[in-house]
Amino acid sequence: MSNKEVEVVFQPEGKRAKVPGGTNLLECADEAGVDIKSDCGGKQVCGKCKVIIEEGADSLSSPTSKEREELGEDLDEGYRLACAAEVGGNVLATVPDESRRGKQVILTEGLEVDFEIDPPLKKYRVEPETPSLADDTPDFERMRNFLNSEYGTQVEDIEHSTLKKLPRVLRDNMGRYEETFTASVLDNNLIRLEKGQKEDYYGVAVDIGTTTVVAYLTDMRTGEVISISSTMNPQVKYGEDVMRRVTMSFQEENGMEKLNKVIVEGLNDLLGEVCEDAGITRDDIMEVTVVGNTGMHNLFVGIHAEFVSKSPYVQAVGRSLDLTPKESKIDIYEGGNVHVLPTIAGWMGADTVGCLITTTPYEQKETQLMIDVGTNGELVLGNEDRLIGASTAAGPALEGAHVKHGMRAAPGAIQYVRIDPSTYEPKLDIIENEPARGLCGSGIIDIVAEMVRTGILQQNGRFNKDLETDRVRKSKAGKGNEYVAVWAEDSGIDKDIVISLEDVREVQLAKGAIRAGSNILMDEFGVETVDEIALAGAFGNYIDPTSALIIGLFPEIDRDKVNMVGNAAGIGSRLALIDEEKRKEAEWLVDEVKYYRLAAHEGFDMSFAKAQWFPHTKKDELYPNYDEILALREEESEL
Amino acid sequence: MSNKEVEVVFQPEGKRAKVPGGTNLLECADEAGVDIKSDCGGKQVCGKCKVIIEEGADSLSSPTSKEREELGEDLDEGYRLACAAEVGGNVLATVPDESRRGKQVILTEGLEVDFEIDPPLKKYRVEPETPSLADDTPDFERMRNFLNSEYGTQVEDIEHSTLKKLPRVLRDNMGRYEETFTASVLDNNLIRLEKGQKEDYYGVAVDIGTTTVVAYLTDMRTGEVISISSTMNPQVKYGEDVMRRVTMSFQEENGMEKLNKVIVEGLNDLLGEVCEDAGITRDDIMEVTVVGNTGMHNLFVGIHAEFVSKSPYVQAVGRSLDLTPKESKIDIYEGGNVHVLPTIAGWMGADTVGCLITTTPYEQKETQLMIDVGTNGELVLGNEDRLIGASTAAGPALEGAHVKHGMRAAPGAIQYVRIDPSTYEPKLDIIENEPARGLCGSGIIDIVAEMVRTGILQQNGRFNKDLETDRVRKSKAGKGNEYVAVWAEDSGIDKDIVISLEDVREVQLAKGAIRAGSNILMDEFGVETVDEIALAGAFGNYIDPTSALIIGLFPEIDRDKVNMVGNAAGIGSRLALIDEEKRKEAEWLVDEVKYYRLAAHEGFDMSFAKAQWFPHTKKDELYPNYDEILALREEESEL
Ligand code: FES
Ligand code: FES
């Protein structure tokens, strides 16, 4: 075999490598950037690296005996083991799906998520015969037949704008087919046909939060996020909280139109930003996936939302939606798709589904409690056997709302607090080291935990009035006492920044709701402890698990069994964009998660009352190692 | 059993009857206007009249012994024979599809077409439980489940505008579900939900001819056409013939946009007319079906049409299309559907498919030759075993184009001609008895046939110059001779109306093409004669079969084996609108009809030349009974 350079092309991507003769196809694939499974490391024994030789079979090295054994009859069908076959001339090979390596990508600090790069939307290189009088199969049917015979891909429909241009796109000026095209197929639908080889294509995963909207521009070939942009949800101007907006949507004239218009415009602006950043055009974006709570979902899709906001909180649709760019008014490639993830029940929305396909409790033996703290607190408890869930009206306080000096995680927000147990003086960490303007979610949990640990707060949430410090004082504005975190002269707002009894009360209500919800789910599930906790939500990455344990936000658990999964809903949107299996899981979850209505649960009120204490009225029973947790914190604080 | 009046409701339509106790369900159904099969005439022996009792089973008479025998286990499933069960109280019964009577409707003079009223688009009465905290299934899934459990109907998707309004449409002012709704389902898609019981719904079958566009407003419950409107194809202003328009579509700037716009506007005008006539609104129209030749198809859909007009005449798509009202710009109910029938090959278009699902050669043992004379002449030959087809560039002359005094079938057109063989004086029938302005298609065939019969024309098409009449003379304008059909003083155009040698030549070319095409198809099929001829096309209903035989337009055949099927393409559009099976047949035909390219056929030129004679150069061989045909005409003429 000569050493001359040869070219190897891998289908369906059409990726190419130029290599010296004698290189094996597995190395060629690596060179071309095509991922082929090779579990045995190229030793010709695992049989995973099968490829189909389309052209140039004769120029390959003869099949080895191991190869014959591994492939059997497949050998006659044109299969070779990539790790065995060495090239001696140009080769065109197809890499079947089964031989492709799934990728494992670490998406967030707290979590490794397994997924395959297997987007529902796929591109294929097509090289059909030009029609003739003897073979006058219509253009669409010709593409369909090629995709079916070459890739086993079923195509049934063709998107309307694609059809209209099809005859022209296919042909050169002489009326004959060009040689190579790229077909984009989504759900058996030919949604695009481009001249030549257009390997790259893009999608955008979107997370519509009540407060923040994030867009992740994704390279669909690699799953890589190549640009992120976020913005405040422009609906905020109509109301900070989701219920106000939903109410406006049906009470105010053209309320829905206004709310829908601003979020659509906001999204289109974000898409424009990520495109500009990445140097692509809107027309390059083929698909968008969307998660959001039920309110955001309805206002984005334009669904009449009156009745999902009133008992019995029934949503219009559970299953996922596929909208055209026209229907959704999202400005991407006109034949593209906007996929909205499904919702589980009333207010357990597409955001929770996004979290679950990220934390995947259904794939493990260990029991996971997933807590998504956002506008509400959503809880899902379960493992591979079953999943149960509940919503709590818990979120806002923990995100800084309803707390007098609460604020978003922005410059000037206190995000970390430690209190000296002898002097009651606080040590603070403020975002961007600006003069403090308030406390963000993690700061609130920190400060309350530290007030509990240092005895400023009693177990029942009352202030201890007998402390030797002017930081604890009678509240100037409201009732009861308050703790001064920052004196006016050091603050950025020329006022003392305080945590009042009322603020503590808000935290108690919020954490009590989540804790009581967890308890009821654990009762229903028949467990007394959980094996792991996944903490999701915009502030999930910042919250200190020890502080959360001190206030009793969740059941007692080893600190390293608490995973901060960050914006898991957004990650779920990304996963759904690039992994078809994840969409199926999402759809499956709708029926799979049994949803409990806490309000309807007999024991809820009592459980709720008990869970408002720090960490709980049944502290000794539920937090047997509470003192160790406090000790751990003390050690940390001393560092 | 008392004789008190009771109410019986039949599902899924929700049709009602108030009847005295003791009435059997078959009579109730008749009263309610529900068609139930009763092959044995209600004698409890055919078992065809099965219904499912949903409510009120106890109030029915006990099952008879014949009934037990007929129904067996079905009895336990709630089935009864409608002809046996007598009502004693209110009853709710479902009539399964199998028990519904198919309708046979005579659509045209020449043809009985069997079809079922089984539109792909169906309406269902739905009466779902109102949601509660205990049962919070989403609105869409609730409808889906109801349709599935009550009717076995699979619903997977919901049309976007229907989804947006869904929660509001379902509920009263108290937020509870209303009692009854009507769901419209098309292809597993819930496309409409209306409050209350809305039995009636409408569709429009459209036939886009090169010259004329026809719209048939149809009651989808009965298949009945309740209003017809037609108009000249507004594209005519851009060119009478289809090729000119197709060429304009890609050669002229915005050519496609202009042509598409006028036909869409024209169609929307027609829809407006039929709606007004029937006293309904556009919003009541749920579906539109469209047939037309490949040119009309492409210009309507907006498909780039350059390459279907050039060799190898490959169309963009064969399969049928389902377009949204937005995509097609057709102004009907926004969630409705525009179904465009499939095309078989290049220029054997949706119009031919429409003809074939009307004449259904594939359902019979007898060999049928279907001739659709329009802009082209389309030929399909076959029976239940196989079908072969071909196109001939034949139509225009037979429709009056390219003939000097040819005109459309309009007032003043000569549509019937008999010539006295001794005096050569013609007897004419003129549309609306106005002074003659020209000859329409049937008049042209008549006059040529009579000129042949009376010896004015020789078998080869030349004039016989030795006749004692001033009606045959040297042509004033063109070459050769001509026959004067109407003297100037009697005409409505102050000119002699003549048939010249050139006109005869045009007829020879057209009929020669069709005749040669038939011959080649018959050769390919392996038959020397055909069992029947179906003559379709705008003028199919008017042409005189004896005249057609005299000139040799088609093979020799018994006169009563020639069926005039009129505008079979338009009938096909109507059938596809109301019978799902017909759509499947249409789709199946695309692959089933083997298409021959006559131009590519070796023997075509010779065959074409021979077929131009009257009736054929091989007259004795192909028309052994020609003299009898002439004799038959003589008898007719004497009447
Ligand atoms: S990599 Fe194991 S057989 Fe090829
Ligand atoms: S009509 Fe024949 S069994 Fe009822």
Side-chain angles (χ1 to χ4, degrees):
Chain A
M1 223 172 261
S2 94
N3 262 13
K4 73 171 180 357
E5 187 164 79
V6 302
E7 191 183 39
V8 183
V9 181
F10 292 94
Q11 300 273 40
E13 306 97 324
K15 287 190 178 168
R16 288 155 197 278
K18 286 215 158 67
V19 295
T23 309
N24 76 40
L25 285 173
L26 194 58
E27 293 159 345
C28 295
D30 193 40
E31 178 72 23
V34 175
D35 259 336
I36 296 184
K37 281 189 197 159
S38 54
D39 294 8
C40 70
K43 296 197 175 57
Q44 308 183 26
V45 293
C46 72
K48 298 281 166 116
C49 63
K50 285 179 202 167
V51 295
I52 307 158
I53 309 305
E54 309 288 354
E55 284 166 31
D58 291 342
S59 71
L60 291 173
S61 57
S62 319
T64 64
S65 55
K66 282 186 184 173
E67 217 180 341
R68 290 185 187 284
E69 206 171 291
E70 223 19 81
L71 290 172
E73 289 181 351
D74 282 350
L75 199 58
D76 304 324
E77 308 272 357
Y79 280 86
R80 294 294 303 266
L81 291 182
C83 66
E86 293 166 5
V87 295
N90 294 346
V91 170
L92 177 66
T94 293
V95 183
D97 277 349
E98 49 179 67
S99 302
R100 285 174 185 277
R101 189 151 60 206
K103 294 229 173 183
Q104 189 188 65
V105 178
I106 299 170
L107 281 166
T108 122
E109 293 161 47
L111 193 73
E112 270 191 14
V113 185
D114 286 325
F115 66 94
E116 305 261 337
I117 296 173
D118 181 23
L121 170 63
K122 288 202 176 61
K123 279 200 164 185
Y124 299 91
R125 168 177 159 137
V126 285
E127 300 188 316
E129 295 285 320
T130 200
S132 63
L133 281 168
D135 173 12
D136 63 351
T137 306
D139 295 328
F140 166 67
E141 278 79 2
R142 191 173 290 267
M143 295 301 119
R144 184 189 67 184
N145 296 349
F146 187 95
L147 287 162
N148 190 12
S149 67
E150 287 291 310
Y151 306 117
T153 299
Q154 295 292 337
V155 172
E156 281 158 22
D157 275 319
I158 174 165
E159 188 274 327
H160 189 240
S161 70
T162 305
L163 170 63
K164 292 201 286 185
K165 292 174 293 201
L166 185 64
R168 179 66 272 180
V169 169
L170 285 167
R171 289 172 175 83
D172 61 19
N173 288 332
M174 303 298 295
R176 291 184 58 82
Y177 273 19
E178 307 263 7
E179 208 170 289
T180 304
F181 308 94
T182 305
S184 301
V185 178
L186 176 66
D187 292 337
N188 306 329
N189 199 350
L190 178 61
I191 66 167
R192 189 170 206 162
L193 194 88
E194 295 162 286
K195 265 193 214 299
Q197 199 169 325
K198 291 279 158 61
E199 282 182 25
D200 55 328
Y201 65 126
Y202 302 91
V204 178
V206 167
D207 172 21
I208 307 181
T210 306
T211 310
T212 310
V213 185
V214 193
Y216 305 86
L217 176 63
T218 306
D219 183 329
M220 300 292 279
R221 294 168 300 172
T222 61
E224 199 187 328
V225 173
I226 54 176
S227 175
I228 302 182
S229 189
S230 68
T231 181
M232 185 177 294
N233 187 324
Q235 293 173 338
V236 163
K237 70 176 174 212
Y238 295 116
E240 285 263 346
D241 85 275
V242 64
M243 270 310 163
R244 177 165 309 198
R245 293 182 220 165
V246 166
T247 305
M248 166 183 163
S249 78
F250 61 85
Q251 281 193 345
E252 196 177 308
E253 199 174 355
N254 298 322
M256 174 57 92
E257 285 71 15
K258 286 181 202 165
L259 286 157
N260 178 260
K261 186 161 183 271
V262 296
I263 185 61
V264 165
E265 284 174 356
L267 263 179
N268 281 330
D269 289 347
L270 275 188
L271 296 182
E273 284 169 23
V274 290
C275 284
E276 195 179 322
D277 182 45
I280 65 168
T281 70
R282 291 176 180 279
D283 199 49
D284 294 321
I285 301 179
M286 304 277 281
E287 202 175 25
V288 170
T289 49
V290 177
V291 298
N293 65 44
T294 304
M296 293 305 105
H297 172 286
N298 286 8
L299 299 180
F300 170 66
V301 179
I303 297 172
H304 185 86
E306 178 174 358
F307 303 104
V308 76
S309 70
K310 296 176 176 171
S311 177
Y313 311 104
V314 170
Q315 78 264 40
V317 59
R319 54 153 289 161
S320 64
L321 300 173
D322 289 291
L323 309 178
T324 62
K326 273 220 179 87
E327 284 169 345
S328 58
K329 289 160 270 157
I330 291 300
D331 190 6
I332 57 172
Y333 166 60
E334 69 174 315
N337 186 47
V338 176
H339 179 84
V340 185
L341 273 75
T343 58
I344 292 170
W347 283 80
M348 180 158 273
D351 49 351
T352 307
V353 171
C355 290
L356 288 172
I357 61 173
T358 304
T359 66
T360 58
Y362 45 85
E363 284 180 350
Q364 60 184 42
K365 286 211 183 337
E366 297 79 26
T367 317
Q368 179 192 90
L369 175 64
M370 197 280 289
I371 307 179
D372 180 23
V373 183
T375 303
N376 284 319
E378 315 295 343
L379 306 171
V380 178
L381 175 66
N383 56 25
E384 59 184 16
D385 294 328
R386 63 197 177 100
L387 294 166
I388 62 178
S391 286
T392 65
L398 299 179
E399 279 199 313
H402 302 180
V403 168
K404 194 177 170 196
H405 287 289
M407 66 176 285
R408 293 207 193 88
I414 300 167
Q415 60 178 346
Y416 168 101
V417 182
R418 292 294 177 270
I419 298 178
D420 186 309
S422 48
T423 63
Y424 306 108
E425 287 300 307
K427 271 199 296 188
L428 306 176
D429 184 25
I430 301 168
I431 296 178
E432 296 200 358
N433 285 319
E434 291 191 6
R437 308 179 58 85
L439 294 125
C440 67
S442 61
I444 291 168
I445 290 178
D446 254 16
I447 201 168
V448 173
E450 284 293 285
M451 286 163 75
V452 169
R453 181 178 70 90
T454 56
I456 296 171
L457 290 176
Q458 300 169 336
Q459 209 195 330
N460 63 8
R462 303 261 166 80
F463 273 81
N464 186 341
K465 291 162 197 160
D466 307 329
L467 300 178
E468 296 271 323
T469 170
D470 50 2
R471 294 246 173 206
V472 177
R473 68 186 186 197
K474 179 111 190 58
S475 171
K476 294 201 169 161
K479 288 176 282 185
N481 290 34
E482 64 188 19
Y483 172 79
V484 183
V486 183
W487 297 110
E489 57 264 35
D490 300 328
S491 85
I493 55 171
D494 287 332
K495 271 187 245 168
D496 294 346
I497 294 175
V498 302
I499 287 287
S500 69
L501 182 63
E502 283 166 354
D503 294 335
V504 173
R505 196 76 206 109
E506 285 291 338
V507 171
Q508 285 183 292
L509 289 174
K511 86 99 188 171
I514 289 176
R515 188 69 187 84
S518 311
N519 265 3
I520 287 173
L521 288 185
M522 287 160 74
D523 276 359
E524 291 286 348
F525 204 82
V527 291
E528 302 214 325
T529 56
V530 298
D531 298 326
E532 70 177 50
I533 286 173
L535 207 55
F539 83 130
N541 258 358
Y542 303 103
I543 198 174
D544 182 311
T546 306
S547 292
L549 273 171
I550 292 172
I551 66 167
L553 179 63
F554 42 68
E556 191 176 285
I557 190 169
D558 249 22
R559 220 203 105 135
D560 56 4
K561 291 290 182 189
V562 181
N563 287 315
M564 308 299 184
V565 295
N567 180 12
I571 298 170
S573 187
R574 291 175 51 196
L575 292 171
L577 182 67
I578 48 176
D579 185 357
E580 180 152 33
E581 202 48 47
K582 287 292 175 185
R583 286 197 203 176
K584 288 185 191 150
E585 288 173 20
E587 212 70 50
W588 169 85
L589 281 167
V590 174
D591 290 327
E592 193 60 20
V593 178
K594 181 157 164 44
Y595 184 70
Y596 281 90
R597 296 199 174 274
L598 296 177
H601 196 283
E602 250 195 286
F604 182 73
D605 287 346
M606 178 61 79
S607 189
F608 180 40
K610 286 184 181 164
Q612 289 172 32
W613 284 37
F614 298 120
H616 198 279
T617 46
K618 298 204 264 178
K619 173 182 148 195
D620 294 345
E621 188 184 322
L622 296 177
Y623 292 86
N625 302 304
Y626 194 67
D627 292 343
E628 284 166 36
I629 297 166
L630 295 184
L632 191 72
R633 164 56 55 86
E634 234 143 284
E635 272 169 41
E636 290 171 0
S637 300
E638 279 162 19
L639 294 179
Chain B
M1 226 172 259
S2 94
N3 263 11
K4 72 170 175 10
E5 187 165 79
V6 302
E7 192 184 39
V8 184
V9 181
F10 292 94
Q11 300 272 40
E13 309 95 323
K15 288 190 177 169
R16 289 155 196 276
K18 285 211 158 67
V19 295
T23 309
N24 76 41
L25 285 172
L26 193 58
E27 293 160 345
C28 296
D30 193 39
E31 179 72 21
V34 175
D35 260 336
I36 295 184
K37 279 188 197 161
S38 54
D39 293 8
C40 69
K43 296 196 175 59
Q44 306 181 28
V45 293
C46 71
K48 297 282 167 113
C49 63
K50 285 179 203 167
V51 295
I52 307 158
I53 309 303
E54 308 289 353
E55 284 167 32
D58 292 342
S59 71
L60 291 174
S61 57
S62 318
T64 64
S65 56
K66 281 186 185 171
E67 218 181 340
R68 288 185 188 285
E69 206 171 292
E70 220 23 78
L71 290 173
E73 289 181 352
D74 281 351
L75 199 58
D76 303 324
E77 310 269 359
Y79 280 84
R80 295 293 305 266
L81 291 181
C83 66
E86 292 167 4
V87 295
N90 295 347
V91 169
L92 177 67
T94 294
V95 183
D97 277 349
E98 49 180 73
S99 303
R100 287 175 183 276
R101 193 150 55 206
K103 296 229 171 185
Q104 189 187 65
V105 178
I106 299 169
L107 282 167
T108 121
E109 294 160 49
L111 195 71
E112 269 190 17
V113 185
D114 286 325
F115 67 95
E116 303 265 335
I117 297 173
D118 182 22
L121 170 63
K122 289 203 177 58
K123 277 201 166 187
Y124 299 92
R125 168 177 158 136
V126 286
E127 300 189 317
E129 294 286 321
T130 200
S132 63
L133 282 169
D135 173 11
D136 63 351
T137 306
D139 295 329
F140 165 67
E141 277 80 1
R142 192 173 288 268
M143 296 300 119
R144 183 190 65 183
N145 296 348
F146 187 96
L147 286 163
N148 191 12
S149 66
E150 288 290 311
Y151 306 118
T153 299
Q154 296 291 339
V155 173
E156 281 158 24
D157 274 320
I158 175 164
E159 186 274 326
H160 189 239
S161 71
T162 305
L163 170 63
K164 292 201 284 185
K165 291 174 292 199
L166 185 66
R168 179 66 273 179
V169 170
L170 285 167
R171 289 170 176 84
D172 61 20
N173 288 332
M174 304 298 294
R176 290 184 58 81
Y177 272 19
E178 306 264 8
E179 210 170 285
T180 303
F181 307 94
T182 305
S184 301
V185 178
L186 177 66
D187 292 337
N188 307 329
N189 199 352
L190 178 61
I191 66 166
R192 189 171 208 163
L193 194 87
E194 295 162 285
K195 266 193 213 301
Q197 199 170 326
K198 294 277 159 60
E199 282 183 24
D200 55 329
Y201 65 125
Y202 302 91
V204 177
V206 167
D207 172 21
I208 307 181
T210 306
T211 311
T212 310
V213 184
V214 193
Y216 305 86
L217 176 63
T218 306
D219 183 329
M220 300 291 279
R221 293 168 302 173
T222 61
E224 200 185 327
V225 173
I226 54 177
S227 176
I228 302 182
S229 191
S230 67
T231 182
M232 186 180 291
N233 187 324
Q235 292 172 339
V236 164
K237 71 176 173 213
Y238 295 117
E240 286 262 346
D241 85 277
V242 64
M243 270 310 163
R244 178 165 309 199
R245 295 182 219 163
V246 166
T247 304
M248 166 182 162
S249 77
F250 62 86
Q251 280 194 345
E252 196 177 307
E253 198 173 358
N254 297 322
M256 175 58 90
E257 285 71 16
K258 285 182 203 165
L259 287 157
N260 179 260
K261 187 160 182 274
V262 296
I263 185 62
V264 164
E265 284 175 355
L267 262 180
N268 281 329
D269 289 347
L270 275 188
L271 296 182
E273 284 169 24
V274 290
C275 285
E276 195 179 322
D277 182 46
I280 65 168
T281 69
R282 289 175 181 281
D283 198 50
D284 295 320
I285 301 178
M286 305 276 279
E287 201 175 25
V288 169
T289 48
V290 177
V291 298
N293 65 44
T294 304
M296 293 304 106
H297 172 288
N298 286 9
L299 299 179
F300 170 66
V301 179
I303 296 172
H304 184 88
E306 178 174 358
F307 303 104
V308 76
S309 69
K310 297 176 175 171
S311 177
Y313 312 103
V314 170
Q315 79 264 40
V317 59
R319 54 153 290 163
S320 64
L321 301 173
D322 288 291
L323 308 178
T324 63
K326 274 219 180 87
E327 284 169 345
S328 58
K329 289 159 269 155
I330 291 300
D331 190 6
I332 57 171
Y333 165 62
E334 69 175 313
N337 186 48
V338 176
H339 179 85
V340 185
L341 273 76
T343 57
I344 291 170
W347 283 81
M348 180 159 272
D351 49 351
T352 306
V353 171
C355 290
L356 288 172
I357 62 174
T358 303
T359 65
T360 60
Y362 45 86
E363 284 179 351
Q364 61 184 39
K365 285 210 183 338
E366 297 79 25
T367 316
Q368 179 192 89
L369 175 64
M370 198 278 291
I371 307 179
D372 180 23
V373 182
T375 303
N376 284 321
E378 314 296 340
L379 306 170
V380 178
L381 175 66
N383 55 25
E384 59 184 17
D385 294 327
R386 63 196 177 100
L387 295 166
I388 61 178
S391 288
T392 64
L398 301 179
E399 278 197 313
H402 302 182
V403 168
K404 191 175 173 199
H405 287 288
M407 65 176 285
R408 292 208 193 87
I414 300 167
Q415 59 179 346
Y416 167 101
V417 182
R418 292 293 176 271
I419 298 177
D420 185 311
S422 48
T423 64
Y424 307 107
E425 286 300 304
K427 269 197 299 186
L428 305 177
D429 186 24
I430 301 168
I431 295 177
E432 298 199 357
N433 284 318
E434 290 189 7
R437 307 180 59 83
L439 293 124
C440 66
S442 62
I444 291 168
I445 291 179
D446 254 17
I447 201 167
V448 173
E450 285 292 284
M451 287 162 73
V452 171
R453 180 178 71 90
T454 56
I456 297 171
L457 289 178
Q458 299 170 340
Q459 208 194 333
N460 63 9
R462 302 259 167 81
F463 274 80
N464 187 339
K465 292 164 196 159
D466 309 326
L467 301 177
E468 296 270 320
T469 169
D470 51 2
R471 293 244 173 209
V472 177
R473 67 185 186 198
K474 180 113 189 56
S475 172
K476 295 204 167 157
K479 288 176 282 185
N481 290 33
E482 63 190 18
Y483 174 78
V484 183
V486 184
W487 297 110
E489 57 265 35
D490 301 327
S491 84
I493 53 171
D494 287 330
K495 271 186 243 167
D496 294 346
I497 294 174
V498 303
I499 289 286
S500 68
L501 181 65
E502 281 165 356
D503 295 334
V504 172
R505 195 77 204 111
E506 285 292 336
V507 171
Q508 283 183 293
L509 289 173
K511 88 98 189 171
I514 290 176
R515 188 69 188 83
S518 312
N519 263 4
I520 287 173
L521 289 185
M522 286 160 74
D523 275 359
E524 292 287 347
F525 204 82
V527 289
E528 304 216 321
T529 57
V530 299
D531 298 326
E532 69 177 49
I533 285 174
L535 206 54
F539 84 130
N541 257 357
Y542 305 103
I543 197 175
D544 183 311
T546 306
S547 291
L549 273 171
I550 292 172
I551 66 167
L553 180 61
F554 41 71
E556 190 175 285
I557 190 167
D558 248 21
R559 215 201 112 135
D560 56 6
K561 291 290 182 189
V562 180
N563 288 316
M564 307 298 182
V565 296
N567 180 11
I571 298 170
S573 187
R574 291 175 53 195
L575 292 170
L577 183 67
I578 49 175
D579 186 355
E580 180 152 31
E581 201 48 47
K582 287 292 176 186
R583 286 196 204 177
K584 288 185 191 148
E585 289 173 20
E587 213 69 51
W588 169 85
L589 281 168
V590 174
D591 290 327
E592 194 59 21
V593 179
K594 180 154 166 45
Y595 184 72
Y596 281 89
R597 297 198 173 273
L598 296 177
H601 195 284
E602 252 194 284
F604 182 73
D605 287 346
M606 178 59 77
S607 189
F608 180 40
K610 286 184 183 165
Q612 289 171 31
W613 284 38
F614 300 120
H616 199 278
T617 45
K618 298 203 264 176
K619 173 180 149 198
D620 294 343
E621 185 184 326
L622 296 178
Y623 293 86
N625 303 301
Y626 194 70
D627 291 342
E628 284 165 38
I629 297 165
L630 295 183
L632 192 72
R633 163 57 55 84
E634 234 142 284
E635 273 168 42
E636 288 169 4
S637 301
E638 280 162 19
L639 295 179

